[in-house]
Amino acid sequence: MKKEYCGLFGIYGHKEAARMTYFGLYALQHRGQESAGIVTWDGTKIREQKGMGLVPDVFNERHLGTELKGNIGMGHIRYSTTGASLIRNAQPFIVRHGDLRLAVAHNGNLVNTFELRQELEAEGSIFQTTMDTEVFAHLIVKNLNGNTIEDAILKACQRIKGAYCMLIMANDKLIAVKDPNGFRPLALGRLDNKYVLASETCAFDLIEAEYLRPLTPGEMLVIQDGQLKSYTMDIPKQPKRQCIFELIYFARPDSYVFGDVVYERRKAFGAALAHEAPVDADFVMPFPDSGNYAAVGYSQASGLPLELAMIRNHYVGRTFIQPSQDMRDFSVRVKLNPVKSMIQGKRIVIVEDSIVRGTTIRTRVKKLRELGAREIHMRVSCPPIKFPCFYGIDFSSKGELIAANHPVDDIARFLGLDSLHYLTIPGLVNSVSEKDAWCLACFDGNYPIAPAPVRGKDCLETEYAPGIIKEYC
């Protein structure tokens, strides 16, 4: 199963900043379910509340109504990229330096974290966590002597490499930065005359904020006293390389991401699939919810009816009482169950958004066979994932990618399919607005930024604290 990125939300000058941030994080919950945090500025200090779990589990009315005072708010929901899933790695990350109170929230993954941390520790820095976010905070503080906070942040950005969008609260300033390649989405909006920032525009919709524009690659925005100022990083211009997986899988379909409507792009991927790989079948169906919108596009382009023959249980939590060993595949069946009368004797086209490891899909296809499906064809709305991602997606080794190790025909046999077709790279790129603006490294191995020699989200635990996961989890 794929894992999501993190989500960011910030608001400036609102009397209910904490509550608005809560709602913003709630709308972004799909981007991370490991931990959540909100910080506010009350005029003299940063107030914080962080915890493990989902947004409604971490915050209550006491936090939002009385404890998180202030009219500047910033929040983060996390899926860990670098750094284990521990409470001390929850964000935003807060530091004090003289009169400065600094909070940093990060969506992305830095590829040179290990080297920078070694350098900083050799110079005397002491670390509290195993996050790449803390490395960035140290770099900011290191560059403060004689510089403004804006200059210190821009100088810190010259040292880091990788994918990042960050929100930074520096006393009464709310600052946003986006990496020079533009890997991650971050949008600017306005609620009445108050500025808001979010990873996706669905967060604006919930609080009825107006979407203004996406941040541009290499941009830093500073909000102070209700005024907005934009800076450009003093870094050689890089080619725009937006993560195509935002449109394929990660973002909510009702969001604008990189200036594109996610719902429309996913339908376009499905339509492209129908043109590339038509099949004579009785109907098209998705595995909810990931394949829903590409399946709509495939159905409309092919003329085949769309049936929702697999029903999702929307009330399944993250944890439940585990069944006995003889109840095989329970975790798969508790989430999705087929409509049995729709399956027997039918020729079915299943549309999925991606195949990473294939084990879950294999179980679902097997169930359809047991129910009497005559033919099962699968169409996948992205190309085969053959290469690890070092910019935030949780498939960081080739060994866990089924398409990296097996040809398509072998994958089809492993999954129990009559046919299998992945959307081609040209088909994918021709279905989006910008044609030469995407990171496709997981498909073609062309990495915009060279991967680090020390890789993996647990690299700091492995090097600096090999017992940390056992000790603290």
Side-chain angles (χ1 to χ4, degrees):
M1 179 180 291
K2 300 175 295 300
K3 301 290 184 72
E4 287 82 352
Y5 303 148
C6 304
L8 305 175
F9 184 89
I11 187 165
Y12 193 98
H14 197 286
K15 64 180 181 180
E16 293 275 8
R19 198 175 300 276
M20 292 298 102
T21 303
Y22 172 88
F23 289 133
L25 295 184
Y26 195 90
L28 298 170
Q29 186 74 86
H30 59 285
R31 297 187 67 87
Q33 296 88 42
E34 292 187 1
S35 64
I38 292 176
V39 298
T40 58
W41 174 253
D42 69 359
T44 59
K45 65 180 181 180
I46 288 177
R47 294 171 174 262
E48 68 171 314
Q49 168 62 24
K50 295 186 287 188
M52 303 302 293
L54 303 178
V55 172
D57 300 327
V58 174
F59 308 103
N60 57 39
E61 184 58 34
R62 185 183 78 254
H63 300 135
L64 303 178
T66 60
E67 293 185 0
L68 291 170
K69 295 179 181 178
N71 66 356
I72 307 173
M74 183 176 92
H76 182 271
I77 48 175
R78 185 173 192 249
Y79 167 69
S80 55
T81 49
T82 294
S85 179
L86 310 171
I87 182 60
R88 68 181 191 169
N89 283 343
Q91 297 185 38
F93 177 74
I94 299 176
V95 297
R96 295 182 179 184
H97 181 75
D99 295 331
L100 177 67
R101 303 295 181 266
L102 189 72
V104 183
H106 175 204
N107 172 26
N109 198 52
L110 305 182
V111 301
N112 62 337
T113 301
F114 187 83
E115 294 81 3
L116 287 173
R117 178 160 169 161
Q118 284 187 316
E119 174 188 315
L120 289 164
E121 286 189 330
E123 296 172 351
S125 294
I126 298 173
F127 287 81
Q128 303 174 45
T129 76
T130 53
M131 295 185 296
D132 49 1
T133 309
E134 186 178 6
V135 171
F136 185 71
H138 277 270
L139 290 172
I140 294 174
V141 171
K142 181 180 177 182
N143 286 288
L144 271 176
N145 292 335
N147 291 313
T148 64
I149 184 64
E150 292 88 345
D151 288 337
I153 291 171
L154 290 171
K155 287 179 181 295
C157 288
Q158 292 175 358
R159 298 296 316 281
I160 59 177
K161 298 178 182 179
Y164 59 88
C165 279
M166 297 193 196
L167 292 184
I168 302 159
M169 185 182 291
N171 291 356
D172 64 340
K173 297 178 181 179
L174 183 60
I175 302 170
V177 294
K178 185 172 185 175
D179 69 73
N181 295 101
F183 284 101
R184 297 285 173 266
L186 189 60
L188 174 69
R190 186 165 51 205
L191 177 60
D192 299 324
N193 61 341
K194 314 297 191 298
Y195 286 111
V196 291
L197 294 149
S199 295
E200 295 182 33
T201 61
C202 61
F204 298 160
D205 296 337
L206 184 58
I207 63 171
E208 298 187 303
E210 174 192 6
Y211 169 54
L212 296 179
R213 66 174 179 88
L215 268 72
T216 59
E219 182 178 16
M220 179 176 76
L221 286 180
V222 180
I223 309 171
Q224 186 180 28
D225 297 327
Q227 301 300 309
L228 184 69
K229 188 171 183 179
S230 177
Y231 299 78
T232 300
M233 295 178 188
D234 186 17
I235 296 173
K237 187 174 178 60
Q238 303 294 316
K240 187 187 291 187
R241 289 296 178 260
Q242 300 163 157
C243 177
I244 196 74
F245 249 93
E246 289 284 352
L247 300 182
I248 295 169
Y249 172 82
F250 290 115
R252 253 176 55 168
D254 51 335
S255 286
Y256 284 85
V257 169
F258 305 127
D260 252 325
V261 181
V262 177
Y263 184 99
E264 294 179 0
R265 292 310 101 209
R266 290 182 186 166
K267 279 182 58 179
F269 298 154
L273 268 177
H275 293 303
E276 287 187 359
V279 62
D280 187 13
D282 295 306
F283 63 83
V284 179
M285 62 172 277
F287 283 151
D289 288 329
S290 60
N292 285 0
Y293 310 99
V296 171
Y298 191 100
S299 172
Q300 292 177 351
S302 66
L304 295 175
L306 175 69
E307 298 287 356
L308 303 179
M310 188 75 79
I311 306 302
R312 179 184 173 190
N313 181 353
H314 288 272
Y315 300 96
V316 176
R318 297 181 71 236
T319 59
F320 48 82
I321 297 173
Q322 292 297 320
S324 57
Q325 286 294 322
D326 60 352
M327 295 181 66
R328 298 179 60 193
D329 305 321
F330 180 86
S331 61
V332 173
R333 289 185 284 112
V334 76
K335 293 170 66 175
L336 291 177
N337 193 49
V339 181
K340 298 177 182 179
S341 62
M342 291 292 302
I343 305 302
Q344 187 171 12
K346 298 296 174 59
R347 301 166 300 166
I348 303 169
V349 179
I350 299 169
V351 178
E352 257 288 25
D353 63 349
S354 56
I355 301 175
V356 179
R357 299 169 183 88
T359 51
T360 299
I361 291 175
R362 185 186 189 193
T363 298
R364 293 172 180 170
V365 170
K366 179 182 177 184
K367 183 63 177 179
L368 296 178
R369 291 289 188 193
E370 291 172 352
L371 293 175
R374 179 151 58 104
E375 295 178 13
I376 303 176
H377 307 269
M378 183 166 286
R379 300 296 179 259
V380 184
S381 61
C382 77
I385 301 169
K386 296 182 177 182
F387 300 90
C389 175
F390 303 105
Y391 313 128
I393 306 176
D394 188 28
F395 40 84
S396 56
S397 68
K398 262 194 169 185
E400 59 188 340
L401 304 175
I402 190 171
N405 300 287
H406 303 282
V408 172
D409 288 346
D410 286 354
I411 297 172
R413 282 190 291 271
F414 171 76
L415 299 178
L417 301 169
D418 290 284
S419 73
L420 172 64
H421 180 83
Y422 292 86
L423 186 61
T424 62
I425 291 178
L428 180 73
V429 172
N430 288 332
S431 300
V432 294
S433 298
E434 296 182 86
K435 306 306 179 190
D436 188 30
W438 304 98
C439 178
L440 305 171
C442 55
F443 309 132
D444 61 15
N446 294 321
Y447 293 103
I449 301 173
V454 179
R455 304 167 183 170
K457 76 173 188 177
D458 295 329
C459 65
L460 296 182
E461 280 87 354
T462 304
E463 176 67 18
Y464 289 99
I468 190 172
I469 297 175
K470 181 179 179 180
E471 180 180 353
Y472 289 94
C473 286

